[in-house]
Amino acid sequence: MELQMVDLKSQYGRIREEINREIQQVLDSAAFVNGPKVKEFAGHLAEYCGVRHVIPCGNGTDALQIALMSLGLQPGDEVIVPAFTYVASAEVIGLLGYTPVMVDVDERSFNVTIDNIRKALSPKTKAIIPVHLFGQSCDMAPILDFAKEHGLYVIEDNAQSIGAVYSFSDGRKKRTGTLGHIGCTSFFPSKNLGCYGDGGALMTDDDELAERIRMTANHGQRVKYHHAVLGCNSRLDTLQAAVLDVKLKYLDEYNEARHAAAQYYTKQLKDIPGIRTPEEMPFSTHVYHQYTLQVLDGKRDALKKYLAEAGIPSMIYYPLPLQQQEAFKEITRQAEDLKVSERLAASVLSLPMHTELTNEQQNDVIEAIRSFYKTR
Ligand SMILES: *Cc1c(COP(=O)(O)O)cnc(C)c1O
């Protein structure tokens, strides 16, 4: 199989019969919207994550938007979000008329830390959106304490880390997405738990929030045709729920395969002086949504080009930190200089990472990187 960033074809090949059977059942039932599979999958995911409520929705961006809508914030309220993340984490804040307050990240973990967040607090701060980027959890215990002390909501953007486990210092463990008030995730095909189209979900342990979330995702109605608040229409298709219910059974296996591939990369690459391999934080497992190098000395673009010429794909997640995006310039409050995010945007390079990656394929990547550094 050709080397790709993500190989969904081979993954499907291994579960083809099971998936096809489930899809056929949905087709035969013709229950395309809100079919029984949606509830079944939500129940299974809640059980897997160890959370009371899972509310499926149309995609990960909707999940974030619905989460914010269910909190009852006022225009001009501030929401703290990392500058180094996918646009969706911050986009929804601006879209609803709130102010995204961007904070820097830690260059070892790519994630926000309590020190970054502390600098951003103002009397208008109402919520924090920690993003568990690339597959590992932010250090949540101090963030949760800080939020409690200041009466802030915590909405986790868990689109890239489903299945990761956070450890508290007393040994207690919880899955990412279940640590804050609301966890949001995406089932975009390339995510660690991906469907065959768009999908997303919210999770919470809070019964009242769960009720508001369900209502918001369903036109603001609790009783059909009685609309208590303005909501939206965001649903997970039954077909996608059927796919996800099969793939959820393999999530741990998939995440272990990613982790094993990442360890192999790191073992082979960590001695090369010009690159920095990703670090695993002691408080979180790592499910490697991305395997992301930092390429030092301004050589990132040259390395990317060199790899491409050798037939090896690589990607830059993300080439611009959010404070430099046109769409955010007018609406953002910047709490501090965002130097780490800027530096990361100029140095990160993600290598092929998926559940079907073989050591032989990885050797091609590793050899190409080594030969790049031999010629410079
Ligand atoms: C993918 C992703 C989202 C959005 O998910 P969609 O399903 O594509 O809307 C949000 N946040 C992060 C960090 C993501 O990686």
Side-chain angles (χ1 to χ4, degrees):
M1 198 63 202
E2 190 198 335
L3 181 57
Q4 302 166 73
M5 283 302 289
V6 178
D7 180 0
L8 294 174
K9 252 192 201 170
S10 303
Q11 194 194 54
Y12 168 58
R14 287 201 290 136
I15 51 174
R16 185 191 179 92
E17 270 150 44
E18 221 177 331
I19 292 275
N20 288 6
R21 189 171 354 111
E22 291 298 325
I23 287 180
Q24 190 61 52
Q25 271 182 18
V26 177
L27 296 180
D28 290 336
S29 76
F32 298 118
V33 168
N34 289 337
K37 260 292 160 190
V38 179
K39 239 193 187 147
E40 264 176 59
F41 164 65
H44 291 150
L45 184 60
E47 204 175 300
Y48 174 87
C49 289
V51 71
R52 278 175 68 79
H53 305 276
V54 166
I55 302 108
C57 68
N59 57 65
T61 309
D62 276 8
L64 289 161
Q65 180 173 334
I66 292 163
L68 277 179
M69 285 171 78
S70 68
L71 302 181
L73 308 190
Q74 299 302 311
D77 281 350
E78 293 184 350
V79 180
I80 296 171
V81 67
F84 189 71
T85 179
Y86 182 57
V87 66
S89 322
E91 184 177 34
V92 294
I93 304 169
L95 206 57
L96 293 170
Y98 312 139
T99 301
V101 178
M102 291 181 184
V103 297
D104 219 353
V105 295
D106 171 51
E107 68 179 355
R108 288 169 309 152
S109 64
F110 306 105
N111 280 332
V112 285
T113 64
I114 186 60
D115 294 333
N116 306 123
I117 288 170
R118 202 172 267 131
K119 292 178 207 157
L121 186 73
S122 91
K124 287 187 184 162
T125 310
K126 291 287 151 50
I128 309 169
I129 304 186
V131 181
H132 306 307
L133 204 70
F134 298 158
Q136 74 184 329
S137 181
C138 301
D139 191 3
M140 290 301 287
I143 297 175
L144 296 173
D145 288 345
F146 179 82
K148 197 166 186 188
E149 184 186 340
H150 297 281
L152 312 176
Y153 285 107
V154 176
I155 300 174
E156 299 170 73
D157 182 342
N158 194 32
Q160 299 192 1
S161 295
I162 194 157
V165 176
Y166 177 78
S167 300
F168 290 88
S169 53
D170 64 2
R172 221 160 27 97
K173 293 178 193 301
K174 277 186 109 175
R175 294 227 189 250
T176 52
T178 70
L179 294 149
H181 296 91
I182 304 175
C184 298
T185 200
S186 163
F187 305 125
F188 187 80
S190 62
K191 298 284 155 91
N192 290 39
L193 178 60
C195 60
Y196 296 162
D198 277 306
L202 301 97
M203 48 189 69
T204 183
D205 276 320
D206 183 320
D207 296 352
E208 239 170 80
L209 267 180
E211 174 82 10
R212 285 219 294 279
I213 289 166
R214 276 183 221 287
M215 209 164 80
T216 304
N218 183 26
H219 297 294
Q221 61 189 347
R222 201 173 282 132
V223 181
K224 206 163 171 63
Y225 304 125
H226 292 69
H227 307 274
V229 294
L230 291 181
C232 57
N233 175 30
S234 187
R235 300 184 283 238
L236 182 69
D237 288 350
T238 314
L239 282 168
Q240 302 304 346
V243 169
L244 287 164
D245 206 34
V246 172
K247 289 185 72 179
L248 177 59
K249 291 189 287 186
Y250 299 99
L251 179 58
D252 284 340
E253 189 186 307
Y254 288 160
N255 282 342
E256 279 158 28
R258 287 172 178 275
H259 189 260
Q263 295 218 297
Y264 189 72
Y265 271 141
T266 295
K267 191 165 144 239
Q268 307 292 332
L269 294 173
K270 69 173 188 303
D271 297 333
I272 300 177
I275 57 184
R276 195 165 165 182
T277 51
E279 287 181 48
E280 297 186 9
M281 299 291 112
F283 47 77
S284 176
T285 62
H286 202 318
V287 296
Y288 286 98
H289 176 61
Q290 297 296 342
Y291 184 87
T292 302
L293 299 174
Q294 292 175 52
V295 184
L296 310 176
D297 314 312
K299 290 192 177 152
R300 193 265 312 271
D301 293 345
L303 175 58
K304 186 175 193 321
K305 186 155 170 276
Y306 186 90
L307 292 177
E309 280 161 5
I312 289 161
S314 62
M315 292 290 280
I316 298 169
Y317 303 115
Y318 297 94
L320 274 185
L322 292 184
Q323 77 274 13
Q324 292 178 354
Q325 299 282 0
E326 204 57 43
F328 287 97
K329 284 192 176 148
E330 300 284 307
I331 60 165
T332 301
R333 184 168 79 76
Q334 216 174 294
E336 54 173 334
D337 68 45
L338 303 168
K339 287 278 172 358
V340 177
S341 298
E342 274 172 38
R343 205 159 61 231
L344 289 176
S347 66
V348 287
L349 191 65
S350 298
L351 301 182
M353 173 50 72
H354 54 78
T355 60
E356 315 301 310
L357 202 57
T358 63
N359 284 357
E360 290 72 51
Q361 290 175 320
Q362 290 188 277
N363 287 340
D364 291 344
V365 181
I366 291 156
E367 274 317 304
I369 294 175
R370 286 197 176 283
S371 90
F372 171 81
Y373 280 101
K374 258 182 226 141
T375 59
R376 315 274 132 166

